[in-house]
Amino acid sequence: MSLEGRVAIVTGASRGIGRAIALRLARLGAKVVVNYRSSQAEAEAVVEAIEDAGGEAVAVQADISIAPDAGRLVKAALDVFGRVDILVNNAGITRDTLLVRMSEEDWDHVLDTNLKGAFLCTKAVLRSMMRQRYGRIVNISSVAGIRGNPGQANYAAAKAGLIGFTKAVAKEVGSRNITANAVAPGYIETELTADLPDDLRATALEMTPSGRTGTPEDIASAVAFLVSDDAGFITGEVLQVDGGLGI
């Protein structure tokens, strides 16, 4: 499986799942645009790791929940590398609390980043992909978007919205040789999950038939397949990478 000659944008790529995806795509030969919102040092470290391994990458700051920033991110990729073949909408945040305590700001912030951001980045990149008649779009959803999760009404709504968004995009642009798929991680060891109470972590592990928590690299492997030519006839699908948690 090779991504030689391809150019990828990975949003929220300075750490966690996004970092693992950026490193994996680069290892397969893609030139990578490492997007970050505020973690400049971490994003530059990802670029350095890619370059040290012989790859090409550039870090681009952009708040993908803001339309001009999303457009600037895509323009930067086109200016530096001349094309965009792959878009991985990974950027995401949490603002967990029970619905009765959830503020409108908590709701809006999560929906703007996790769902609206994917809309803005996808819209910004589609014309270029349609002209070249090639594209691979992968949206990072979650099993929470399939099953729901107490204390995460905002997050679950955004991740469920990504699934519907993915299927709609797949139908709209499939004839242009552009695929759109979603990956739904289960419990993955990242900074987003590091602060979960021990009892919730234990419950998640107990409900996972594989008997272990996932790693960012598990998600990166799934994304690498979906953006490759090997997955050219797969579109509109939701791949659960969750050790069986969603069964």
Side-chain angles (χ1 to χ4, degrees):
M1 190 165 63
S2 173
L3 297 177
E4 289 290 339
R6 302 301 186 193
V7 176
I9 296 174
V10 183
T11 68
S14 63
R15 51 192 171 185
I17 290 173
R19 178 182 186 277
I21 292 170
L23 293 174
R24 178 65 61 86
L25 300 189
R27 195 178 310 140
L28 293 172
K31 301 171 183 178
V32 182
V33 177
V34 177
N35 162 250
Y36 69 97
R37 182 175 63 87
S38 57
S39 304
Q40 181 178 358
E42 290 91 336
E44 290 176 350
V46 176
V47 170
E48 184 178 354
I50 290 172
E51 292 177 339
D52 287 348
E56 295 183 57
V58 61
V60 177
Q61 189 283 329
D63 182 342
I64 51 87
S65 69
I66 301 172
D69 273 27
R72 180 169 55 80
L73 171 62
V74 173
K75 184 178 185 302
L78 293 171
D79 288 346
V80 174
F81 294 125
R83 60 186 290 131
V84 178
D85 303 287
I86 297 163
L87 171 64
V88 182
N89 286 309
N90 164 76
I93 62 170
T94 57
R95 292 291 186 272
D96 295 352
T97 188
L98 293 176
L99 184 60
V100 294
R101 299 173 184 163
M102 186 175 293
S103 68
E104 185 176 356
E105 182 182 4
D106 288 337
W107 176 272
D108 287 345
H109 198 187
V110 170
L111 270 290
D112 283 351
T113 300
N114 298 16
L115 181 56
K116 183 182 177 183
F119 155 69
L120 292 174
C121 290
T122 302
K123 182 178 179 180
V125 83
L126 269 185
R127 290 190 186 278
S128 173
M129 287 184 173
M130 291 171 71
R131 281 195 298 269
Q132 67 196 22
R133 300 190 70 85
Y134 183 92
R136 298 286 184 264
I137 300 166
V138 176
N139 300 314
I140 305 301
S141 180
S142 169
V143 292
I146 299 170
R147 296 165 51 94
N149 211 27
Q152 289 191 315
N154 48 5
Y155 184 79
K159 294 302 187 178
L162 272 178
I163 291 173
F165 175 72
T166 299
K167 293 178 180 293
V169 172
K171 289 185 176 182
E172 287 190 16
V173 298
S175 65
R176 299 296 185 98
N177 194 30
I178 301 170
T179 65
N181 292 287
V183 172
Y187 184 86
I188 308 296
E189 291 285 357
T190 67
E191 289 184 13
L192 280 181
T193 59
D195 294 332
L196 284 178
D198 289 341
D199 59 333
L200 290 181
R201 295 164 67 93
T203 298
L205 185 59
E206 183 181 337
M207 294 174 62
T208 304
S210 67
R212 71 171 177 89
T213 56
T215 67
E217 288 70 27
D218 290 323
I219 308 305
S221 295
V223 172
F225 168 66
L226 288 173
V227 303
S228 74
D229 288 342
D230 291 343
F233 200 54
I234 300 173
T235 194
E237 293 298 323
V238 181
L239 176 58
Q240 294 182 223
V241 185
D242 59 7
L245 177 62
I247 297 174

